């Protein structure tokens, strides 16, 4: 039995998605023959309640000089991080000359607001290409992986931080004890860590199994986050659900006793009990729903193909790699995937090798059906694509249910 990355006891596997390429491993034809694969399996630790991957590629395999995900592509997420930044400024930066550190700052989508306000800041971003984009916007960025050692270096160079921020990155880091220990050293006595990630209860509720891929090593609940930081003399003092990425949770963490604890924390822990997040059977039920979702999606795709409909994918998301490889979606089912990210255009999807094309291809020659892989940006996309719908185009979605809209 695999050991839990958080508490060292045994992890119960509940789902095996089989052989999987990297979620963000978009590639050229010349790279097809030596494409990297690993086994995508996920399990639950009943001791500390952490849901986690049982195997993960090395970090350098995922985060490097050609990392494909560029945060500022989505206007919805840009708005989200603007509001996140202003919440921090208003609520937590009360001492003079504060310092804000962000882990996984990508192209500076959030830190740009602190830079614009003249606030001392530092981004930590190991993927060189996206770190450079932030640098070009005048955002101070160190191009390294955050861990306890780097936290010490930052503390030596800049002093302690008033706020440490992280979005969609804590769940990427298997060595979380080193990260939590580093955060505890780097924070001022009254400093706070505020981070958000996709929330386990939402993943289970809407069967968004495509959140499960190599980069997401953890699927957090409040109870698992509380366990982790408890080991490092910290505690969750507040939570706030977020309506992004299909349902995320924002956690505010501080040193034990530094602040009062919001009543929302206790209430959410109770909710998690009622939702069965601590029971093995909950995860087995999830697996059954995933299998059903796969069957329905493939039945629909086959029916569309038999009717001679043109189907294309919309949004070459990292999440879609799990869906395509687990369900067996090939270039026979979808012609290509449209994506606005220049690092993905002209490449092929990991594993199934479906071409990723420029968005103009989609606009110039609308398909009959668009399979919405970027469902988490659904509202933004459907508003933008009124012409496609008005011309008779239909959306095929698979979260929360497989359906043609
Ligand atoms: N915060 C952004 C980016 C999320 S993608 C957003 O929400 O849009 C995750 C980012 O974390 C990537 O840019 C990746 O390079 C970075 N990352 C991965 N491991 C990291 C680590 N140990 N320390 C800091 N950043 C890391
Ligand atoms: P994400 O789900 O990980 O945020 O990735 C979204 C992907 O979808 C990213 O590759 C950009 C792409 N995309 C589009 O092609 N068009 C859009 O309008 C939006 C919002 C995203
Ligand atoms: Zn555990």
């Amino acid at each position: 039995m695999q050991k839990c990355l958080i508490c060292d006891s045994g992890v119960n596997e509940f789902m095996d998605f089989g052989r999987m390429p990297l979620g963000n491993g978009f590639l050229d034809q010349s790279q097809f023959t030596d494409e990297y694969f690993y086994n995508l399996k996920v399990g639950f630790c009943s001791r500390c309640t952490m849901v986690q991957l049982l195997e993960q590629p090395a970090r350098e395999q995922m985060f490097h000089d050609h990392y494909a995900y560029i945060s500022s592509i989505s206007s919805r997420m840009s708005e989200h991080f603007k509001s996140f930044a202003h919440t921090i400024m208003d609520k937590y930066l009360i001492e003079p000359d504060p310092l804000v550190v962000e882990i996984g700052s990508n192209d500076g989508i959030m830190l740009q607001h602190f830079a614009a306000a003249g606030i001392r800041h530092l981004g930590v971003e190991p993927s060189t290409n996206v770190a450079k984009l932030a640098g070009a916007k005048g955002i101070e960025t160190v191009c390294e992986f955050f861990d306890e050692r780097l936290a010490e270096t930052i503390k030596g160079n800049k002093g302690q931080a008033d706020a440490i921020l992280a979005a969609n990155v804590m769940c990427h880091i298997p060595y979380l004890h080193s990260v939590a220990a580093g955060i505890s050293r780097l924070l001022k006595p009254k400093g706070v860590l505020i981070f958000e990630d996709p929330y386990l209860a939402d993943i289970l509720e809407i069967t968004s199994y495509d959140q499960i891929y190599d980069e997401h090593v953890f699927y957090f609940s409040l109870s698992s986050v509380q366990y982790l930081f408890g080991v490092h003399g910290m505690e969750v003092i507040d939570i706030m659900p977020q309506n992004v990425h299909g349902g995320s949770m924002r956690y505010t963490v501080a040193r034990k006793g530094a602040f009062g604890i919001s009543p929302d924390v206790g209430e959410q822990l109770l909710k998690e009990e009622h939702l069965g997040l601590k029971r093995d059977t909950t995860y087995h039920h999830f697996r059954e729903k995933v299998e059903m979702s796969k069957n329905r999606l493939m039945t629909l795709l086959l029916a569309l193909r038999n009717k001679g409909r043109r189907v294309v994918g919309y949004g070459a998301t990292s999440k879609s790699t799990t869906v395509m490889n687990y369900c067996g979606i090939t270039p026979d089912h979808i012609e290509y995937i449209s994506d606005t990210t220049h690092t993905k255009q002209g490449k092929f999807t990991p594993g199934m090798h479906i071409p990723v094309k420029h968005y103009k291809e989609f606009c110039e020659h609308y398909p009959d059906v668009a399979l919405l892989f970027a469902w988490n940006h659904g509202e933004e996309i459907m508003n933008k694509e009124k012409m496609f719908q008005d011309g008779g185009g239909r959306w095929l979605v698979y979260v929360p249910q497989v359906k043609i809209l």
Side-chain angles (χ1 to χ4, degrees), residues 272-290:
E272 292 188 349
E273 289 271 1
H274 290 145
L275 288 169
L277 298 196
K278 295 185 175 172
R279 284 198 302 267
D280 272 317
T281 46
T282 303
Y283 301 99
H284 292 295
H285 181 54
F286 171 73
R287 188 194 57 230
E288 285 163 9
K289 289 207 294 183
V290 174

Side-chain angles (χ1 to χ4, degrees), residues 65-366:
D65 60 359
H66 53 278
Y67 185 60
Y69 186 71
I70 317 271
S71 297
S72 300
I73 289 292
S74 161
S75 56
R76 165 96 179 78
M77 290 313 292
S78 298
E79 277 305 308
H80 174 78
F81 286 120
K82 182 178 177 186
S83 137
F84 191 154
H86 285 282
T87 306
I88 306 303
M89 287 181 212
D90 297 343
K91 211 166 159 190
Y92 295 107
L93 305 185
I94 29 201
E95 290 192 19
D97 194 26
L99 171 68
V100 175
V101 174
E102 188 185 351
I103 304 173
S105 45
N106 201 277
D107 64 351
I109 185 167
M110 173 138 69
L111 281 184
Q112 62 190 352
H113 302 289
F114 295 96
I119 293 168
R120 280 200 305 137
H121 62 272
L122 182 69
V124 179
E125 178 45 71
S127 296
T128 344
N129 60 323
V130 291
K132 274 189 193 142
L133 295 175
K137 294 180 199 163
I139 296 155
E140 203 178 329
T141 306
V142 31
C143 200
E144 284 190 60
F145 290 94
F146 187 89
D147 57 11
E148 193 174 3
R149 186 196 50 77
L150 185 71
E152 270 302 321
T153 310
I154 297 174
K155 185 176 160 188
N157 294 339
K158 302 227 169 230
Q160 283 181 311
D162 296 72
I164 299 179
L165 313 178
N168 308 304
V169 60
M170 294 290 265
C171 72
H172 290 52
I173 310 180
Y175 41 97
L176 266 190
H177 280 300
S178 168
V179 169
I183 287 170
S184 155
R185 282 160 179 266
L186 184 55
L187 276 183
K188 284 184 179 169
K190 288 265 185 185
V192 286
L193 160 72
I194 301 167
F195 74 98
E196 62 185 43
D197 281 291
Y199 183 48
L200 176 64
D202 290 315
I203 297 175
L204 300 178
E205 191 189 336
I206 63 174
T207 325
S208 50
Y209 68 91
D210 55 353
Q211 292 284 7
I212 302 171
Y213 62 93
D214 55 344
E215 291 180 24
H216 292 171
V217 65
F218 296 116
Y219 305 86
F220 295 140
S221 58
L222 173 55
S223 72
S224 59
V225 166
Q226 199 184 36
Y227 181 98
L228 166 72
F229 286 100
V231 176
H232 299 271
M234 290 184 280
E235 62 189 358
V236 179
I237 57 165
D238 203 1
I239 47 147
M240 181 65 77
Q242 302 294 318
N243 188 17
V244 293
H245 292 308
S248 287
M249 187 61 86
R250 185 178 295 171
Y251 307 90
T252 305
V253 179
R255 282 185 216 292
K256 270 184 191 154
F259 296 95
I261 298 180
S262 156
D264 295 350
V265 172
E267 277 171 30
Q268 195 66 30
L269 285 171
L270 266 180
K271 247 190 231 169
E272 292 188 349
E273 289 271 1
H274 290 145
L275 288 169
L277 298 196
K278 295 185 175 172
R279 284 198 302 267
D280 272 317
T281 46
T282 303
Y283 301 99
H284 292 295
H285 181 54
F286 171 73
R287 188 194 57 230
E288 285 163 9
K289 289 207 294 183
V290 174
E291 288 165 355
M292 232 143 53
S293 173
K294 167 183 175 169
N295 290 339
R296 289 201 182 128
L297 181 59
M298 292 319 288
T299 306
L300 259 179
L301 283 174
L302 276 179
L304 289 166
R305 190 176 69 182
N306 291 341
K307 283 189 204 156
R309 299 282 192 273
R310 273 190 68 222
V311 184
V312 310
Y314 196 106
T317 59
S318 33
K319 296 188 287 294
S320 69
T321 297
T322 298
V323 179
M324 287 188 277
N325 287 275
Y326 167 65
C327 296
I329 302 174
T330 68
D332 262 4
H333 304 98
I334 56 178
E335 237 176 72
Y336 68 88
I337 303 183
S338 159
D339 199 284
T340 47
T341 320
H342 64 88
T343 45
K344 298 181 185 177
Q345 293 159 353
K347 302 224 172 188
F348 293 83
T349 66
M352 287 304 177
H353 304 161
I354 296 167
V356 181
K357 296 201 173 167
H358 199 286
Y359 173 54
K360 76 173 187 318
E361 190 91 18
F362 179 82
C363 298
E364 283 170 3
H365 190 30
Y366 284 140

Side-chain angles (χ1 to χ4, degrees), residues 4 7 9 45 48:
C4 172
C7 77
S9 49
C45 171
C48 72

